mmCIF file of all heavy atoms in Angstrom:
data_model
loop_
_atom_site.group_PDB
_atom_site.id
_atom_site.type_symbol
_atom_site.label_atom_id
_atom_site.label_comp_id
_atom_site.label_asym_id
_atom_site.label_seq_id
_atom_site.Cartn_x
_atom_site.Cartn_y
_atom_site.Cartn_z
ATOM 1 N N GLN A 876 -8.010 5.256 -3.629
ATOM 2 C CA GLN A 876 -9.052 6.260 -3.840
ATOM 3 C C GLN A 876 -9.010 7.537 -3.037
ATOM 4 O O GLN A 876 -9.941 8.306 -3.057
ATOM 5 C CB GLN A 876 -10.513 5.673 -3.745
ATOM 6 C CG GLN A 876 -10.703 4.267 -4.454
ATOM 7 C CD GLN A 876 -10.417 4.409 -5.951
ATOM 8 O OE1 GLN A 876 -10.849 5.299 -6.643
ATOM 9 N NE2 GLN A 876 -9.604 3.472 -6.465
ATOM 10 N N ARG A 877 -7.899 7.694 -2.352
ATOM 11 C CA ARG A 877 -7.698 8.952 -1.516
ATOM 12 C C ARG A 877 -6.366 9.637 -2.023
ATOM 13 O O ARG A 877 -5.489 9.015 -2.493
ATOM 14 C CB ARG A 877 -7.574 8.706 -0.070
ATOM 15 C CG ARG A 877 -8.711 7.932 0.557
ATOM 16 C CD ARG A 877 -10.097 8.578 0.435
ATOM 17 N NE ARG A 877 -10.070 9.898 1.167
ATOM 18 C CZ ARG A 877 -11.146 10.676 1.250
ATOM 19 N NH1 ARG A 877 -12.256 10.348 0.610
ATOM 20 N NH2 ARG A 877 -11.107 11.798 1.847
ATOM 21 N N TYR A 878 -6.363 10.953 -1.942
ATOM 22 C CA TYR A 878 -5.160 11.674 -2.283
ATOM 23 C C TYR A 878 -4.677 12.399 -1.014
ATOM 24 O O TYR A 878 -5.387 13.267 -0.487
ATOM 25 C CB TYR A 878 -5.481 12.712 -3.386
ATOM 26 C CG TYR A 878 -4.278 13.485 -3.854
ATOM 27 C CD1 TYR A 878 -3.216 12.904 -4.517
ATOM 28 C CD2 TYR A 878 -4.157 14.868 -3.653
ATOM 29 C CE1 TYR A 878 -2.121 13.517 -4.957
ATOM 30 C CE2 TYR A 878 -3.024 15.628 -4.106
ATOM 31 C CZ TYR A 878 -2.033 14.939 -4.786
ATOM 32 O OH TYR A 878 -0.971 15.612 -5.233
ATOM 33 N N LYS A 879 -3.616 11.953 -0.476
ATOM 34 C CA LYS A 879 -3.202 12.354 0.896
ATOM 35 C C LYS A 879 -1.835 13.124 0.752
ATOM 36 O O LYS A 879 -0.905 12.745 0.066
ATOM 37 C CB LYS A 879 -2.905 11.083 1.769
ATOM 38 C CG LYS A 879 -2.410 11.443 3.143
ATOM 39 C CD LYS A 879 -1.998 10.195 3.854
ATOM 40 C CE LYS A 879 -0.807 9.504 3.236
ATOM 41 N NZ LYS A 879 -0.246 8.374 4.050
ATOM 42 N N CYS A 880 -1.834 14.249 1.477
ATOM 43 C CA CYS A 880 -0.568 15.048 1.591
ATOM 44 C C CYS A 880 -0.127 15.174 2.978
ATOM 45 O O CYS A 880 -0.989 15.425 3.911
ATOM 46 C CB CYS A 880 -0.757 16.476 0.958
ATOM 47 S SG CYS A 880 -0.825 16.418 -0.853
ATOM 48 N N ASN A 881 1.129 14.928 3.286
ATOM 49 C CA ASN A 881 1.659 15.001 4.648
ATOM 50 C C ASN A 881 2.678 16.158 4.747
ATOM 51 O O ASN A 881 3.497 16.334 3.937
ATOM 52 C CB ASN A 881 2.411 13.804 5.015
ATOM 53 C CG ASN A 881 1.575 12.514 5.088
ATOM 54 O OD1 ASN A 881 0.406 12.583 5.299
ATOM 55 N ND2 ASN A 881 2.129 11.391 4.836
ATOM 56 N N MET A 882 2.495 16.968 5.830
ATOM 57 C CA MET A 882 3.599 17.890 6.180
ATOM 58 C C MET A 882 4.268 17.262 7.473
ATOM 59 O O MET A 882 3.599 17.142 8.511
ATOM 60 C CB MET A 882 2.983 19.286 6.492
ATOM 61 C CG MET A 882 4.027 20.289 6.967
ATOM 62 S SD MET A 882 3.347 21.852 7.461
ATOM 63 C CE MET A 882 2.592 22.494 5.880
ATOM 64 N N THR A 883 5.497 16.951 7.342
ATOM 65 C CA THR A 883 6.171 16.190 8.382
ATOM 66 C C THR A 883 7.288 17.013 9.089
ATOM 67 O O THR A 883 8.072 17.643 8.366
ATOM 68 C CB THR A 883 6.785 14.875 7.855
ATOM 69 O OG1 THR A 883 5.734 14.169 7.219
ATOM 70 C CG2 THR A 883 7.349 14.012 8.961
ATOM 71 N N LEU A 884 7.324 16.880 10.389
ATOM 72 C CA LEU A 884 8.387 17.649 11.116
ATOM 73 C C LEU A 884 8.830 16.798 12.303
ATOM 74 O O LEU A 884 8.030 16.349 13.077
ATOM 75 C CB LEU A 884 7.869 19.009 11.632
ATOM 76 C CG LEU A 884 8.895 19.952 12.275
ATOM 77 C CD1 LEU A 884 9.975 20.402 11.300
ATOM 78 C CD2 LEU A 884 8.211 21.153 12.895
ATOM 79 N N ASP A 885 10.139 16.502 12.406
ATOM 80 C CA ASP A 885 10.693 15.813 13.592
ATOM 81 C C ASP A 885 11.346 16.714 14.511
ATOM 82 O O ASP A 885 12.215 17.499 14.126
ATOM 83 C CB ASP A 885 11.741 14.762 13.015
ATOM 84 C CG ASP A 885 11.138 13.620 12.196
ATOM 85 O OD1 ASP A 885 9.906 13.494 12.272
ATOM 86 O OD2 ASP A 885 11.837 12.905 11.480
ATOM 87 N N VAL A 886 10.933 16.577 15.808
ATOM 88 C CA VAL A 886 11.532 17.473 16.826
ATOM 89 C C VAL A 886 11.763 16.647 18.139
ATOM 90 O O VAL A 886 11.217 15.575 18.261
ATOM 91 C CB VAL A 886 10.570 18.680 17.151
ATOM 92 C CG1 VAL A 886 10.424 19.552 15.938
ATOM 93 C CG2 VAL A 886 9.243 18.154 17.626
ATOM 94 N N GLN A 887 12.575 17.240 19.039
ATOM 95 C CA GLN A 887 12.785 16.633 20.378
ATOM 96 C C GLN A 887 11.577 17.006 21.224
ATOM 97 O O GLN A 887 10.958 18.042 21.127
ATOM 98 C CB GLN A 887 14.089 17.145 21.014
ATOM 99 C CG GLN A 887 15.291 16.781 20.164
ATOM 100 C CD GLN A 887 15.637 15.277 20.292
ATOM 101 O OE1 GLN A 887 14.938 14.519 20.910
ATOM 102 N NE2 GLN A 887 16.674 14.835 19.457
ATOM 103 N N LEU A 888 11.264 16.142 22.195
ATOM 104 C CA LEU A 888 10.073 16.337 23.038
ATOM 105 C C LEU A 888 10.029 17.681 23.749
ATOM 106 O O LEU A 888 8.942 18.370 23.736
ATOM 107 C CB LEU A 888 9.983 15.217 24.096
ATOM 108 C CG LEU A 888 8.822 15.277 25.072
ATOM 109 C CD1 LEU A 888 7.506 15.132 24.293
ATOM 110 C CD2 LEU A 888 8.932 14.159 26.143
ATOM 111 N N PRO A 889 11.169 18.190 24.347
ATOM 112 C CA PRO A 889 11.080 19.477 25.041
ATOM 113 C C PRO A 889 10.699 20.621 24.086
ATOM 114 O O PRO A 889 10.158 21.681 24.591
ATOM 115 C CB PRO A 889 12.480 19.689 25.578
ATOM 116 C CG PRO A 889 13.075 18.315 25.615
ATOM 117 C CD PRO A 889 12.477 17.580 24.457
ATOM 118 N N ALA A 890 10.951 20.508 22.810
ATOM 119 C CA ALA A 890 10.683 21.572 21.865
ATOM 120 C C ALA A 890 9.351 21.440 21.091
ATOM 121 O O ALA A 890 9.017 22.193 20.199
ATOM 122 C CB ALA A 890 11.841 21.672 20.876
#
Side-chain angles (χ1 to χ4, degrees):
Q876 310 303 314
R877 306 296 298 180
Y878 185 65
K879 177 189 69 173
C880 288
N881 296 334
M882 179 185 293
T883 306
L884 186 65
D885 291 343
V886 298
Q887 297 290 357
L888 181 61

